[in-house]
Amino acid sequence: DKRFDGWRHIWVIDDTAKIPENLRGDPDVFFVTKNSERYQWFLCCAAYLINNATFPFYFVRKNGQEYLNTWHGTPLKTLGYDITTTPLQRANTARNLIQSSLFIAPNQHTENVMLDRYGVRQLFNGRNLLTGYPRIDATLNATDDDRQVLYRDLGLDPAKPVVLFAPTYRGHWATPELEAEEMASALQRMKSDDYNLVFRGHYFAEKTILDMDLPVTVAPHAIDTCQLLAIVDVLVTDYSSIFYDFLVTGRPVIHYIYDWDRYVETRGVYFGKNDLPGIVCEDETSLIEAVHAAIDRPGDQISATYK
């Protein structure tokens, strides 16, 4: 953005391989590793701070600093006081909301959850704005050239529809392979010559899927998710907030929720199964049927439940 030429931009990363090629060597862009000494220095001295999650527990906004918190999605999964298993994580999120000078939300539900369920409504001294998510512009405003670059970088056939499988990470930190087995089974069944099949998931799941050498294109995280959504014709997900961002396209959304009852009991959700916009599937057979129906007749599959 030409308005910010000459500004010094500090990006926090965990892997230099994720740096976009067009920014390598840019004299106005610097990359630092989280919690490094240089990261802490910039955290203290930067004039503007932007985060879609939380800064570390030791962060305190200094006088004169502006801190924009955008959070990272409309919550379907419960957060804050509605989760009983992560009090320390809840505390740091509350601290960050209190420290922020500006908080943006894409809808009233997100604002209510973040400010009320973290108990900071009366403590928050900044501004909260219902603005939508700027990142969705990357999906809606993508040009034909942008899409062609994505097809080329991912090695996809532009003549075929794109089906994106983007499940949430359920949190089995010690044994991510258990989740990957279920994902791998679904991917094996979903593979078809009729469309390009792309996978985007948590980096734990991504690594396991890559190691399995499955017949699927794994979208590298150097490609922003909302840029990726610009070429997606059908989204298959579960409880991930990615579907909220994709709804603006008007294209089919399929929720593959084979573990609904267990997930609701252990994690919790704000909306019921019948409130999910799109197609709801609870087993692999119905999932495959729904994907092909969405490809063949996208306008006819606005809302349905397959059991």
Side-chain angles (χ1 to χ4, degrees):
D1 191 324
K2 296 297 183 183
R3 292 174 298 173
F4 302 99
D5 282 352
W7 288 49
R8 178 179 295 180
H9 303 270
I10 313 301
W11 283 16
V12 183
I13 60 172
D14 59 2
D15 183 356
T16 56
K18 298 177 182 178
I19 300 175
E21 287 298 326
N22 65 313
L23 293 176
R24 291 181 182 272
D26 189 312
D28 295 329
V29 181
F30 300 81
F31 300 91
V32 298
T33 303
K34 186 175 181 179
N35 290 326
S36 65
E37 184 176 349
R38 184 169 296 180
Y39 166 84
Q40 295 170 347
W41 190 90
F42 282 119
L43 199 59
C44 292
C45 301
Y48 299 95
L49 303 161
I50 303 174
N51 203 323
N52 74 346
T54 59
F55 287 115
F57 67 91
Y58 53 77
F59 166 71
V60 176
R61 178 166 61 94
K62 308 299 186 297
N63 290 335
Q65 285 185 312
E66 298 290 340
Y67 171 17
L68 165 64
N69 190 293
T70 68
W71 201 238
H72 52 268
T74 296
L76 172 64
K77 296 173 280 189
T78 52
L79 295 174
Y81 292 130
D82 298 322
I83 305 177
T84 59
T85 57
T86 55
L88 294 180
Q89 181 181 7
R90 181 173 68 231
N92 193 42
T93 302
R95 281 191 72 259
N96 270 257
L97 290 170
I98 294 171
Q99 294 290 334
S100 62
S101 51
L102 180 64
F103 171 74
I104 65 171
N107 47 63
Q108 192 64 58
H109 165 66
T110 302
E111 178 188 310
N112 291 344
V113 169
M114 297 307 298
L115 297 186
D116 295 332
R117 302 317 298 153
Y118 282 101
V120 300
R121 175 78 71 175
Q122 304 303 318
L123 302 173
F124 180 66
N125 292 319
R127 299 171 62 204
N128 55 293
L129 298 177
L130 289 174
T131 61
Y133 272 149
R135 69 188 190 197
I136 296 178
D137 293 351
T139 300
L140 292 179
N141 297 338
T143 66
D144 288 339
D145 288 343
D146 294 332
R147 295 186 183 90
Q148 291 305 314
V149 168
L150 285 170
Y151 284 123
R152 183 198 66 206
D153 290 349
L154 290 169
L156 304 178
D157 183 352
K160 293 182 179 181
V162 175
V163 175
L164 175 64
F165 183 38
T168 194
Y169 182 62
R170 285 163 172 75
H172 300 304
W173 295 96
T175 54
E177 63 274 8
L178 295 179
E179 292 188 34
E181 288 179 5
E182 180 63 41
M183 296 177 196
S185 176
L187 287 167
Q188 290 280 16
R189 291 286 305 275
M190 290 170 63
K191 181 62 178 176
S192 171
D193 293 333
D194 296 334
Y195 51 78
N196 299 291
L197 181 58
V198 180
F199 177 81
R200 160 57 59 88
H202 191 280
Y203 70 93
F204 279 151
E206 177 184 302
K207 182 181 183 302
T208 306
I209 294 298
L210 284 171
D211 291 343
M212 290 181 177
D213 195 26
L214 296 172
V216 59
T217 298
V218 177
H221 281 274
I223 299 176
D224 181 82
T225 298
C226 284
Q227 291 177 315
L228 178 62
L229 291 179
I231 63 169
V232 173
D233 295 282
V234 178
L235 172 65
V236 179
T237 185
D238 43 22
Y239 315 102
S240 171
S241 63
I242 189 176
F243 80 85
Y244 288 107
D245 294 351
F246 190 68
L247 287 176
V248 297
T249 68
R251 302 171 198 147
V253 176
I254 298 172
H255 299 273
Y256 178 42
I257 50 173
Y258 59 91
D259 58 347
W260 172 267
D261 291 337
R262 182 169 72 252
Y263 192 85
V264 169
E265 180 181 355
T266 58
R267 181 61 173 84
V269 295
Y270 284 114
F271 303 109
K273 185 189 306 182
N274 294 331
D275 296 319
L276 296 175
I279 306 163
V280 174
C281 301
E282 300 186 58
D283 58 63
E284 287 185 4
T285 299
S286 60
L287 170 63
I288 305 311
E289 292 175 357
V291 170
H292 283 280
I295 290 292
D296 297 337
R297 304 183 306 278
D300 297 340
Q301 299 296 320
I302 301 300
S303 180
T305 300
Y306 291 78
K307 297 183 178 180

